[in-house]
Amino acid sequence: MAEGRETEAVAERPVELAYRPAVGELASALRARARSTGAGRFQRRALVWTVAVTTVGALLSAAGSGHRNTPWPLYAGVLVFAAFMTALPWLQARHLHRLAERQGEIRGTVDDTGVRLTTAHSSASVDWHLYSRYVETPELFVLLSADKSAVGFVVLPKRAVADPEGVDRLRAVLDRWLVRADAAEAPGGPRSRGGAVGRGAGSVGLLLLGLLLFFSAFAAVRQATHPDRFPGIQHNTAPTAVVMLGLGALAVAGAWWLVRRMTAMRIVTAVLAVLVLLAGCAALYRVAPMLHCWGSARIARGPEGAYVCYDF
């Protein structure tokens, strides 16, 4: 009985923290908050699709007959904007860090009554009803406010706790009062299982798409590589083949990216990707000798195998 009461008292002992904010941890907290809100997830998907569409558009423009009039400044501007949005959490973290650095070392306690944080110049107490969920990363616990956008958040670094037991006790307190925002995505969760199936199917589909694009690139230059079957001057389809090769490579890269955190699927995808890329290398071997005629409308292969460019 006495031992049980002693264990319960230890479990309820406040968790003490002491730390100085770090830019990397603040950036990680902002990214974790974005992953846990609908607006943040929408922004990430929109950014990925923007970069993908811009890349495809640039490749198609470069291969088209009017490639000299391609609006490269527009494409460059879109990519610069995408890079800025990707770096935005880090820039925001730099700003927050400058504000927090003026406060000096932060000390705090976490228990069943809430979170209390003090610095050399301020103090704050947060009750649990202000926060409804939290996200755990390898380095942090991030408390999120109840509103949909999670405007308010509190960052509790694991390094701020003196011992590993304190990290476990801190997690236990948070589990008693808050809901894990990433619970559905945890290993074994319903969203995790459904997402794994979806990512696996998407990876296979992208590999098949990459294989189709590589074979299309191979077929696009078929006439120019067989002057005995198709004699005379041919349309220069090498730029189109290069675009297909580029899109096929992107499809293979996307297939691996989808399953990069799934050990078994990652290995299977890597093996299949190597086989698909071999087809791409065969197509590139056929297209490469024609690339010096990139800006020419027509092309012909001479008797010695060299290609002659024609601009009429």
Side-chain angles (χ1 to χ4, degrees), residues 4-311:
R5 285 193 296 271
E6 181 179 353
T7 302
E8 184 178 356
V10 170
E12 295 178 354
R13 188 172 73 248
V15 180
E16 297 184 355
L17 305 95
Y19 63 98
R20 285 182 175 271
V23 176
E25 291 174 345
L26 291 172
S28 178
L30 289 170
R31 286 191 291 268
R33 182 182 68 168
R35 290 193 299 269
S36 302
T37 61
R41 289 190 292 268
F42 175 80
Q43 180 180 336
R44 291 181 63 192
R45 295 190 186 103
L47 189 61
V48 170
W49 278 107
T50 299
V51 172
V53 170
T54 301
T55 303
V56 172
L59 289 172
L60 292 176
S61 296
S65 58
H67 61 86
R68 292 184 179 86
N69 299 321
T70 298
W72 293 116
L74 174 62
Y75 293 136
V78 173
L79 292 179
V80 169
F81 173 75
F84 171 77
M85 294 301 296
T86 302
L88 186 59
W90 185 83
L91 296 175
Q92 292 175 327
R94 291 279 298 178
H95 178 69
L96 292 173
H97 183 259
R98 284 196 296 268
L99 296 176
E101 190 67 17
R102 299 174 185 173
Q103 302 293 327
E105 185 181 49
I106 299 176
R107 292 185 173 273
T109 59
V110 180
D111 56 22
D112 287 329
T113 63
V115 180
R116 290 175 296 280
L117 301 175
T118 60
T119 69
H121 307 288
S122 64
S123 63
S125 297
V126 179
D127 294 334
W128 291 121
H129 73 274
L130 295 177
Y131 293 86
S132 62
R133 52 206 164 121
Y134 79 96
V135 179
E136 181 178 0
T137 74
E139 303 86 15
L140 307 168
F141 292 104
V142 185
L143 281 58
L144 304 175
S145 56
D147 56 286
K148 292 183 179 180
S149 299
V151 174
F153 67 99
V154 176
V155 182
L156 303 177
K158 294 181 181 179
R159 62 178 174 84
V161 184
D163 53 71
E165 179 194 356
V167 174
D168 294 335
R169 289 193 293 116
L170 176 56
R171 184 185 296 107
V173 172
L174 297 179
D175 284 336
R176 280 200 297 272
W177 292 96
L178 306 178
V179 176
R180 288 182 66 106
D182 54 348
E185 299 177 0
R191 189 180 301 174
S192 175
R193 290 192 296 269
V197 174
R199 287 192 296 271
S203 177
V204 173
L206 285 174
L207 286 174
L208 292 175
L209 176 62
L211 186 61
L212 177 62
L213 288 168
F214 288 152
F215 277 121
S216 297
F218 194 85
V221 294
R222 180 168 174 266
Q223 291 188 8
T225 54
H226 291 87
D228 52 335
R229 302 179 189 173
F230 309 97
I233 300 174
Q234 309 291 338
H235 289 286
N236 184 13
T237 55
T240 302
V242 170
V243 170
M244 292 180 180
L245 288 173
L247 294 177
L250 288 176
V252 173
W256 182 88
W257 185 83
L258 282 176
V259 297
R260 68 193 186 283
R261 297 178 181 175
M262 303 165 59
T263 304
M265 280 299 299
R266 185 173 57 196
I267 296 173
V268 174
T269 300
V271 173
L272 295 176
V274 169
L275 298 176
V276 173
L277 289 174
L278 287 176
C281 291
L284 181 61
Y285 177 78
R286 172 177 280 193
V287 174
M290 310 178 191
L291 294 182
H292 69 283
C293 295
W294 183 276
S296 301
R298 296 179 182 275
I299 193 173
R301 186 176 184 182
E304 297 180 356
Y307 288 92
V308 182
C309 312
Y310 297 92
D311 292 323

